[in-house]
């Protein structure tokens, strides 16, 4: 059979159109297989896509570097096929890989036909590289999933994968090395296993909606709620108070509410019932989506870094994998979503000015100026074509979006939108961390109110930590800088990594499993991009 015909056969098999055989036959000698591989790769015909897209690396490995035959006749095919069948354990989708076609390739190797064996070797290598890549960097390009995700698609060295597995007798062990060792990812993988197992073994009947249940009240739904809380790990079990909403169940409800980003007052309302009704398979899917996001993240987050979780409205300071400080934050409203990216904190600005973004100037401030030309004169400076000018004499009705040569800059002071301090990680998206005079927003459970930047609940604590502990300023010097009312920039001795993430499933305190609502709809977008198939 000629090479072109062999390739058509390979395409046929890869498409999964052939039935799997039951037993693996004997195989041709490795030398003959190696020679046939060279014939296939050197042929002028275009190879099927799984091979063509990595053809240069295949040529380099098998021909230039004389890499050994890794799959044919070594017993390694079957363990890899099992890994593909169990892809859901890795947070991947088994249907993304042509399992049946690869089984067919394995089981139809002819000891008298080296070319057939060569095709099997090449296809197994191609999909091994595919699987390792999916584990390492994820299946999707972040910004194609969501335009507010500014993480660049990472790359892998395909040839290095081939070189590495040639020296590794166990394909499973080598694949494990491609998984992120980040503790956030590893915690999610454990969560995934738990919720997949729960989905396969536990009946998850729907708890009925109804009136709010107050502590101490009786309600026929309480036994079902109590049982559900035992399954989620929030209720320890023990004495059964029947339909009475007893104190032990109140504590369990509050624990569940905290873990799910709900108002934790112990009152069982609509949102709590909805969260209790989310089936384990859906939670497993949510975990899998978050594992994909972690594959997009930098391998090294930094020994000392800040992590802002937009979905949980929290900033964490991390030192050597330990969270050493937590702080509530306000993030962008749904209409002004805070993007995801990583950058570095470079300096702190005491008594900052605020340069108003064009969108706010034209959409929010301009209408007020048309009604009252001096509405902002006491707190803001106005620049026309970059030059400081006077508020008087400007006919605001003559300007609008597309014709607006003005820039507004708010002076330092108690009304300044950035408060007393801002923390700069210069980036193309104009996102930074800052103080705010609107302290009441931190009382809300869902804190998505800003125009995109991140407001801090304890900005002064962070300022004293960065400027004092890290930059070496005395408290007296810092206090004097704030009291002066003048803008003072303090550059940090070393930049500190800052990561803005969107984690709707993560490990909480003491190993607790935490979930958050999909406030920006990014889980929904990612789920659709991955095909919307269940993790189980």
């Amino acid at each position: 059979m000629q090479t072109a015909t062999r390739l058509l056969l390979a395409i046929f098999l890869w498409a999964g159109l052939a039935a799997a055989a039951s037993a693996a036959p004997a195989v041709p000698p490795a030398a003959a297989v190696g020679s046939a591989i060279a014939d296939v790769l050197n042929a002028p015909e275009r190879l099927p896509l799984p091979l063509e897209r990595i053809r240069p690396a295949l040529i380099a490995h098998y021909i230039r570097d004389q890499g050994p035959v890794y799959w044919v006749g070594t017993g390694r095919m079957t363990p890899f096929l099992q890994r593909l069948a169990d892809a859901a354990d890795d947070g991947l989708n088994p249907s993304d890989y042509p399992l049946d076609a690869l089984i067919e390739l394995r089981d139809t190797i002819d000891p008298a036909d080296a070319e057939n064996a060569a095709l099997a070797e090449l296809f197994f290598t191609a999909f091994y590289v595919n699987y390792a890549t999916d584990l390492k960097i994820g299946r999707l390009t972040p910004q194609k999933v969501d335009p507010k995700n500014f993480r660049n698609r990472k790359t892998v060295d395909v040839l290095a994968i081939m070189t590495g597995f040639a020296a590794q007798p166990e394909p499973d062990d080598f694949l494990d090395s491609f998984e992120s060792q980040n503790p956030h990812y590893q915690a999610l993988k454990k969560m995934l296993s738990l919720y997949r197992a729960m989905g396969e073994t536990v009946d998850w009947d729907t708890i009925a909606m109804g009136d709010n249940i107050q502590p101490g009240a009786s309600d026929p739904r309480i036994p079902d709620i109590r049982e559900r809380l035992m399954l989620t790990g929030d209720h320890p079990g023990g004495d059964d108070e029947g339909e009475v909403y007893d104190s032990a169940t109140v504590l369990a409800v509050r624990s569940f509410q905290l873990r799910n980003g709900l108002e934790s007052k112990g009152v069982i309302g609509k949102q709590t019932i909805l969260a209790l009704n989310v089936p384990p398979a859906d939670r497993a899917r949510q975990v899998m989506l978050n594992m994909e996001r972690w594959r997009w993240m930098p391998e090294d987050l930094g020994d000392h870094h800040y992590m802002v979780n937009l979905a949980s409205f929290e900033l964490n300071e991390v030192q050597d994998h330990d969270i050493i400080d937590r702080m509530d934050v306000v993030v962008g409203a749904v209409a002004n979503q805070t993007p995801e990216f990583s950058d570095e904190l470079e300096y702190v600005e005491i008594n900052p000015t605020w340069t108003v973004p064009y969108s706010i100037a034209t959409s929010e401030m301009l209408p007020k100026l048309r009604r009252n030309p001096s509405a902002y004169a006491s707190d803001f400076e106005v620049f026309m074509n970059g030059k400081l000018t006077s508020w008087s004499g400007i006919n605001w009705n003559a300007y609008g979006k597309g014709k607006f040569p003005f820039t507004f800059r708010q002076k330092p002071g108690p009304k300044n939108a950035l408060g007393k301090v801002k923390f700069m990680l210069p980036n193309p998206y104009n996102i930074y961390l800052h103080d705010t005079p609107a302290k009441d927003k931190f009382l809300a459970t869902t804190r998505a109110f800003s125009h995109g930047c991140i407001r801090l609940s304890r900005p002064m604590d962070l300022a004293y930590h960065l400027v004092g502990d890290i930059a070496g300023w005395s408290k007296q010097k810092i206090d004097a800088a704030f009291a002066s009312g003048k803008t003072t920039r303090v550059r940090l001795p070393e930049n500190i990594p800052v990561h803005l993430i969107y984690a709707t499933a993560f490990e909480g305190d003491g190993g607790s499993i935490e979930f958050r609502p999909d406030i920006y709809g990014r889980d929904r977008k990612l789920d659709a991009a991955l095909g919307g198939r269940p993790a189980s």
Side-chain angles (χ1 to χ4, degrees):
M1 189 179 292
Q2 298 300 311
T3 299
T5 306
R6 291 291 191 191
L7 295 177
L8 289 174
L9 173 61
I11 296 170
F12 180 74
L13 293 173
W14 176 64
L17 300 175
S22 58
V27 298
V33 176
S35 177
I37 288 173
D39 290 342
V40 171
L41 294 176
N42 286 328
E45 297 97 336
R46 183 175 177 83
L47 300 175
L49 182 61
L51 305 183
E52 186 65 36
R53 64 188 176 190
I54 62 168
R55 188 173 192 160
L58 290 170
I59 291 172
H61 175 65
Y62 283 106
I63 300 176
R64 186 197 70 190
D65 299 340
Q66 294 293 297
V69 172
Y70 182 73
W71 300 103
V72 175
T74 65
R76 295 183 179 118
M77 288 179 170
T78 298
F80 176 52
L81 291 169
Q82 188 61 52
R83 184 68 172 253
L84 292 182
D86 296 336
D89 293 343
D90 290 324
L92 300 174
N93 197 320
S95 65
D96 287 347
Y97 311 98
L99 181 60
D100 289 344
L102 289 173
I103 291 173
E104 176 74 4
L105 282 169
R106 178 198 64 182
D107 293 347
T108 56
I109 293 173
D110 185 343
D113 192 340
E115 190 173 356
N116 176 274
L119 287 170
E121 174 76 17
L122 292 172
F123 271 103
F124 267 80
T125 293
F127 282 102
Y128 191 88
V129 168
N130 184 193
Y131 197 86
T133 300
D134 288 349
L135 279 176
K136 184 74 172 176
I137 67 173
R139 288 160 282 177
L140 301 171
T141 300
Q143 203 163 5
K144 288 184 178 180
V145 176
D146 192 296
K148 286 289 187 180
N149 193 315
F150 295 109
R151 302 198 186 283
N152 294 324
R153 171 81 163 163
K154 295 191 292 188
T155 60
V156 294
D157 186 333
V158 174
L159 179 58
I161 295 176
M162 297 180 196
T163 303
F165 76 57
Q168 172 54 259
E170 297 296 335
D172 248 8
D173 292 345
F174 192 53
L175 283 175
D176 288 343
S177 72
F178 287 91
E179 284 194 305
S180 171
Q181 297 308 303
N182 185 294
H184 299 279
Y185 179 92
Q186 291 298 321
L188 286 171
K189 189 173 182 180
K190 292 178 182 177
M191 291 164 59
L192 178 67
S193 176
L194 174 65
Y195 275 91
R196 289 188 67 238
M198 195 182 300
E200 294 169 357
T201 58
V202 176
D203 291 330
W204 209 263
D205 297 329
T206 299
I207 299 170
M209 291 292 176
D211 295 336
N212 289 357
I213 309 174
Q214 302 287 341
S218 293
D219 191 285
R221 294 172 292 171
I222 287 297
D224 290 338
I225 291 171
R226 188 181 293 117
E227 182 179 354
R228 182 64 49 82
L229 291 167
M230 292 178 190
L231 291 173
T232 61
D234 296 285
H235 197 298
D239 295 339
D240 187 344
E241 297 292 334
E243 295 184 356
V244 176
Y245 186 18
D246 59 287
S247 58
T249 306
V250 172
L251 289 175
V253 167
R254 292 188 65 186
S255 168
F256 178 84
Q257 289 170 332
L258 276 173
R259 290 194 307 103
N260 285 272
L262 303 173
E263 188 175 40
S264 180
K265 292 186 177 180
V267 177
I268 303 174
K270 177 181 177 180
Q271 296 305 315
T272 299
I273 296 296
L274 286 173
L276 286 166
N277 281 335
V278 175
D282 287 3
R283 290 303 190 194
R285 183 70 181 173
Q286 188 175 355
V287 170
M288 182 273 289
L289 296 175
N290 282 272
M291 290 173 70
E292 177 74 3
R293 286 197 186 96
W294 275 107
R295 296 184 188 111
W296 301 341
M297 291 290 290
E299 294 291 326
D300 182 8
L301 300 178
D303 293 337
H304 179 219
H305 66 267
Y306 288 94
M307 184 83 71
V308 180
N309 185 354
L310 308 177
S312 67
F313 316 106
E314 185 177 69
L315 176 145
N316 291 335
E317 182 180 6
V318 181
Q319 181 70 57
D320 299 323
H321 301 301
D322 293 326
I323 297 174
I324 60 175
D325 192 22
R326 299 177 188 271
M327 191 180 304
D328 290 341
V329 302
V330 167
V331 303
V334 173
N336 301 285
Q337 297 183 16
T338 304
E340 297 166 71
F341 64 96
S342 295
D343 216 298
E344 293 185 332
L345 183 62
E346 296 183 9
Y347 62 90
V348 179
E349 203 162 272
I350 295 170
N351 299 321
T353 60
W354 177 46
T355 300
V356 181
Y358 180 87
S359 60
I360 299 176
T362 55
S363 299
E364 299 180 23
M365 297 178 71
L366 181 57
K368 294 181 181 179
L369 287 166
R370 287 170 178 163
R371 296 191 297 269
N372 177 10
S374 61
Y376 298 100
S378 62
D379 295 316
F380 288 81
E381 296 172 315
V382 59
F383 296 80
M384 185 174 185
N385 295 320
K387 294 182 179 181
L388 184 64
T389 189
S390 171
W391 285 95
S392 62
I394 301 174
N395 179 12
W396 295 106
N397 290 303
Y399 299 98
K401 291 183 178 179
K403 184 186 177 183
F404 196 79
F406 302 100
T407 301
F408 303 143
R409 187 172 69 189
Q410 192 176 27
K411 304 170 187 175
K415 295 182 181 180
N416 188 284
L418 306 184
K420 296 180 179 180
V421 62
K422 71 175 178 179
F423 307 87
M424 292 300 295
L425 47 151
N427 57 80
Y429 326 113
N430 198 28
I431 298 297
Y432 44 86
L433 287 62
H434 65 90
D435 183 17
T436 176
K439 306 295 186 185
D440 59 307
K441 301 299 185 184
F442 293 102
L443 299 176
T445 302
T446 300
R447 296 184 293 275
F449 300 111
S450 81
H451 285 91
C453 286
I454 297 156
R455 305 175 188 172
L456 305 175
S457 61
R458 295 188 290 106
M460 296 301 287
D461 288 351
L462 183 58
Y464 279 101
H465 174 51
L466 291 172
V467 178
D469 300 337
I470 294 178
W473 284 35
S474 68
K475 184 177 184 302
Q476 292 77 13
K477 186 176 179 180
I478 298 172
D479 290 342
F482 277 111
S484 72
K486 296 179 181 179
T487 302
T488 303
R489 179 177 294 188
V490 183
R491 183 163 292 278
L492 301 177
E494 292 185 359
N495 294 349
I496 303 173
V498 179
H499 306 283
L500 276 60
I501 67 170
Y502 187 78
T504 59
F506 57 93
E507 183 180 42
D509 290 335
S512 64
I513 299 172
E514 307 243 348
F515 296 101
R516 291 295 182 271
D518 184 20
I519 56 163
Y520 286 164
R522 294 181 185 175
D523 277 2
R524 175 176 48 78
K525 289 181 180 179
L526 179 53
D527 190 43
L530 288 171
R533 293 180 288 267
S536 58

